[in-house]
Amino acid sequence: MPAPLHHFAINADDVGRARRFYEAVMGWTWEPWGPPDFYRARGAGVAGALQERREIDGRRQTLELTFGVEDLGATITSIEANGGRLLTRPFRIEGVGELVWFEDTEGNVAGAMQYDAQVRP
């Protein structure tokens, strides 16, 4: 089954400034959710978030993409069999699902998430 793009995150040095920018430019609204300075996008057409900038595997992140997968174990096997590299071990986000970060054959970083049943689109 194809893995649809399910989530994006905008990483920001100044979350308030980025929030105002995307409200004005894209017309999105933001709902506080989870940890401090973490917001869910409304009106983006796909699940989106705005959060403080972070690093994954020592890389400073700008935009993050997360693909929804049916079977995280099978996806991990496929990533490695096709020249990709895992950057993190699978980890659980309570109430959301299990996530792994990986690098594709071109050096791009993305997430693969097996979402809990109540979260799947």
Side-chain angles (χ1 to χ4, degrees), residues 82-96:
N82 289 284
R85 182 171 73 97
L86 293 182
L87 300 177
T88 66
R89 293 180 182 183
F91 59 94
R92 177 134 191 83
I93 300 174
E94 281 307 315
V96 180

Side-chain angles (χ1 to χ4, degrees), residues 39-91:
Y39 296 90
R40 291 194 305 184
R42 295 287 184 223
V46 64
L50 175 62
Q51 62 195 19
E52 289 183 338
R53 190 172 311 282
R54 62 187 180 148
E55 291 186 2
I56 297 173
D57 192 41
R59 300 170 196 210
R60 190 170 155 90
Q61 297 301 301
T62 53
L63 291 174
E64 296 175 13
L65 300 177
T66 302
F67 298 95
V69 300
E70 293 295 322
D71 182 336
L72 188 59
T75 301
I76 289 168
T77 298
S78 184
I79 288 167
E80 294 177 323
N82 289 284
R85 182 171 73 97
L86 293 182
L87 300 177
T88 66
R89 293 180 182 183
F91 59 94

